[in-house]
Amino acid sequence: MAASVDSVETGALPAPRPGPPPWVAMYHSVGDCSDDPYRVTVTPERLGRQLAWLRRRGLRGVSVADLLAARSRGGGRDLVGLTFDDGYADFVTGALPLLRRWGCGATLFVLPGRLGGVNAWDPLGPRKPLLSADGIRRAAAEGVEIGSHGLTHVDLTRADDLTLKAETVESRARLEELTGARADGFCYPYGTVDARAVEAVREAGYTYACAIDPGPLTGPHALPRVHIGQNDTSWRLLLKHRLHRLRRRPVEGL
């Protein structure tokens, strides 16, 4: 298509169209899924098969920060963001060895207000232990990007102003003190997001944030993700990959 008259006269190139949205996979716990009412657990065996599927298709799992950096340079079409929400203790025993085996990176979203606690926000249970400060530092030492999931797993769309600030600003400060590194990524608890929450996350200094299906809010601070669970075989992964590209809105600048 020819450039517009204005762009020809000024010598400016037309702005590039956004590419397909980056594919970001959403995981939670990696362990025993026999009691899993919220479908947030995959077994290590299933995760291993899913990572193997990525590599067979010429794809590689990386942290969201690495994925977005590659996309901003015009590349990264062979990269998939791997995210693990809540900071379950089984990340270091169930997920980390498999990520290492398949040469993958990941982003771990943790709750610095619940270090060493349990997932008390899930009323149906089962109770799963969360990483301690030492566990988070161990994951970071292995090259895992550590991001914030808020302080205590609060729905930000229902939070008052003081809670919203604590969940975004204070959680970032605590993580940076804990790891000694910048915390650039945020993940909205429950995947719920509105314009007020997006603005709070942006003002807190995060460079990106992950949601699930943010609709019109889709952007660097409301990235869509795809839930990956125990039932996701190779065929289901292929379908989810294709549907994500077809249904999700482009992300401006990526």
Side-chain angles (χ1 to χ4, degrees):
M1 181 180 294
S4 68
V5 173
D6 288 343
S7 64
V8 171
E9 289 179 349
T10 62
L13 294 175
R17 292 183 177 180
W23 201 44
V24 182
M26 177 179 65
Y27 289 94
H28 290 79
S29 173
V30 181
D32 179 14
C33 62
S34 59
D35 183 11
D36 188 31
Y38 296 101
R39 297 186 299 113
V40 297
T41 309
V42 297
T43 63
E45 293 76 18
R46 176 64 75 189
L47 176 61
R49 289 195 289 269
Q50 291 166 345
L51 296 179
W53 177 85
L54 290 178
R55 299 314 295 262
R56 288 197 305 271
R57 295 192 62 81
L59 301 171
R60 182 168 64 89
V62 296
S63 69
V64 179
D66 286 347
L67 171 63
L68 298 183
R71 291 291 293 261
S72 70
R73 296 190 297 267
R77 296 301 191 266
D78 60 339
L79 301 180
V80 175
L82 299 181
T83 63
F84 293 80
D85 291 9
D86 301 333
Y88 290 104
D90 57 28
F91 177 83
V92 297
T93 55
L96 203 51
L98 291 166
L99 294 170
R100 191 184 306 117
R101 174 185 175 186
W102 291 102
C104 292
T107 298
L108 177 65
F109 292 114
V110 302
L111 298 155
R114 293 188 183 271
L115 298 178
V118 296
N119 57 327
W121 60 88
D122 286 336
L124 298 181
R127 291 291 162 254
K128 289 175 173 281
L130 304 177
L131 286 167
S132 65
D134 286 343
I136 292 172
R137 282 191 285 260
R138 175 181 170 186
E142 293 275 357
V144 174
E145 180 192 15
I146 306 298
S148 172
H149 201 28
L151 271 180
T152 58
H153 208 283
V154 170
D155 182 345
L156 298 189
T157 65
R158 299 182 178 183
D160 60 38
D161 290 346
L162 287 177
T163 301
L164 183 60
K165 186 172 183 179
E167 293 288 327
T168 54
V169 176
E170 187 177 338
S171 67
R172 185 170 188 239
R174 287 199 198 183
L175 279 186
E176 292 182 342
E177 182 179 1
L178 190 157
T179 65
R182 284 176 56 90
D184 287 328
F186 187 87
C187 175
Y188 298 97
Y190 305 103
T192 55
V193 60
D194 59 14
R196 175 170 165 266
V198 169
E199 184 59 25
V201 167
R202 185 185 293 113
E203 288 185 352
Y206 298 97
T207 58
Y208 76 85
C210 289
I212 298 177
D213 185 7
L217 293 173
T218 293
H221 288 90
L223 295 169
R225 291 186 297 168
V226 178
H227 168 74
I228 304 297
Q230 180 65 14
N231 294 328
D232 286 318
T233 60
S234 296
W235 284 108
R236 284 173 59 94
L237 287 176
L238 179 61
L239 180 62
K240 286 187 173 185
H241 191 200
R242 290 180 175 175
L243 288 177
H244 179 77
R245 293 170 64 90
L246 289 172
R247 293 179 176 178
R248 300 301 193 205
R249 295 167 180 263
V251 180
E252 201 68 37
L254 297 180

